[in-house]
């Protein structure tokens, strides 16, 4: 062995396996990248939430006219049947079917 060198340190577990070397401490660039990455994840989550909210508003905007048209048609149908039944002198019965 060379006299100026220290021998390598073999760090082993009690089971006889080698341990990994200790990681190097994070530098300034690594810390900056971690912060920027964290902010980027928060911005992505906020943007995803806004997209979800926009899709919900779009869905409501599409379904509201369908709901109104179906309600008007149903109310008109009931009104027409009641009107026709009153004209003919038939009693008006509302039947609720339960299962």
């Amino acid at each position: 062995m060379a006299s100026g060198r220290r021998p390598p340190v073999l760090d082993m577990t009690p089971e006889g396996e080698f341990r990994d070397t200790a990681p190097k401490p994070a530098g300034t660039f690594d810390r900056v990248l971690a912060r920027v990455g964290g902010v980027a994840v928060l911005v992505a989550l906020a943007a995803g939430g806004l997209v979800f909210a926009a899709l919900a508003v779009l869905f409501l905007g599409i379904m509201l006219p369908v709901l109104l048209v179906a309600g008007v048609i149903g109310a008109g149908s009931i009104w027409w049947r009641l009107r026709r039944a009153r004209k003919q002198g038939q009693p008006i019965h509302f039947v609720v079917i339960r299962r």
Side-chain angles (χ1 to χ4, degrees):
M1 279 197 161
S3 60
R5 293 179 130 200
R6 293 179 54 190
V9 177
L10 299 178
D11 195 8
M12 297 182 77
T13 64
E15 290 83 25
E17 297 176 358
F18 290 104
R19 291 187 184 167
D20 291 333
T21 58
K24 293 182 181 179
T28 305
F29 187 65
D30 289 330
R31 285 191 295 260
V32 169
L33 282 180
R35 293 258 172 133
V36 170
V39 170
V41 168
L42 287 176
V43 168
L45 287 174
L50 288 175
V51 166
F52 184 71
L55 286 175
V57 168
L58 178 68
F59 179 74
L60 287 176
I62 291 172
M63 292 309 293
L64 187 62
V66 172
L67 174 75
L68 290 176
V69 168
V72 167
I73 290 172
S77 172
I78 290 174
W79 175 79
W80 183 260
R81 287 176 179 230
L82 289 175
R83 181 174 172 260
R84 196 171 67 196
R86 274 194 222 117
K87 253 187 183 176
Q88 295 175 355
Q90 295 176 351
I92 300 169
H93 298 289
F94 287 96
V95 179
V96 177
I97 300 173
R98 294 185 204 172
R99 293 186 180 206

